[in-house]
Amino acid sequence: MIAERVPNRPAEQDRVAAVAPPRAAGRAVLLIPHRGENPQEAALPEDYRKTLALVREADGPVQVRAVGKRLGLDTSARGKLEPLRANMTKFADRGWLHKRPDGHFAARR
């Protein structure tokens, strides 16, 4: 039997609430929606639009580090880029970008 862990302390409850997806009308909202036939980039938050624009401006596939550098992020340690890598992977999972086997990202045409 698998038991679900329920946070008991207020600090744990705050942490759990902080990672919960945003909700509207009682339903979870995707910050990066699935790309349909008519992609609506205006629906994306501004920082996500910047990331998408940087990948599209590149001559070819780009590394997360290069995008992070252009966004002004600290690229000195790999761990500092993990949130950006997660966002770019979400872009790929939802059809906005293409993730290559070597870890580089390219724009979908």
Side-chain angles (χ1 to χ4, degrees):
M1 178 183 227
I2 298 174
E4 182 178 337
R5 185 179 183 289
V6 178
N8 294 328
R9 293 179 227 136
E12 286 184 47
Q13 291 172 351
D14 291 343
R15 189 177 63 234
V16 169
V19 296
R23 300 181 78 73
R27 297 175 58 190
V29 176
L30 293 175
L31 289 178
I32 302 175
H34 292 278
R35 182 177 184 225
E37 290 181 23
N38 298 317
Q40 299 292 326
E41 282 187 41
L44 298 172
E46 183 179 351
D47 53 338
Y48 291 171
R49 287 193 308 262
K50 286 180 186 176
T51 301
L52 199 55
L54 289 173
V55 175
R56 287 190 176 140
E57 289 172 2
D59 293 335
V62 295
Q63 293 180 320
V64 174
R65 183 176 302 277
V67 175
K69 196 174 283 188
R70 295 281 310 272
L71 288 171
L73 301 176
D74 180 10
T75 60
S76 62
R78 180 184 173 118
K80 304 251 182 190
L81 294 172
E82 289 307 313
L84 177 61
R85 184 181 322 281
N87 285 342
M88 291 176 72
T89 300
K90 286 177 193 173
F91 272 125
D93 291 345
R94 296 184 183 147
W96 293 91
L97 295 176
H98 172 70
K99 184 175 181 181
R100 296 171 27 135
D102 62 2
H104 290 69
F105 291 86
R108 292 226 184 240
R109 306 280 177 205

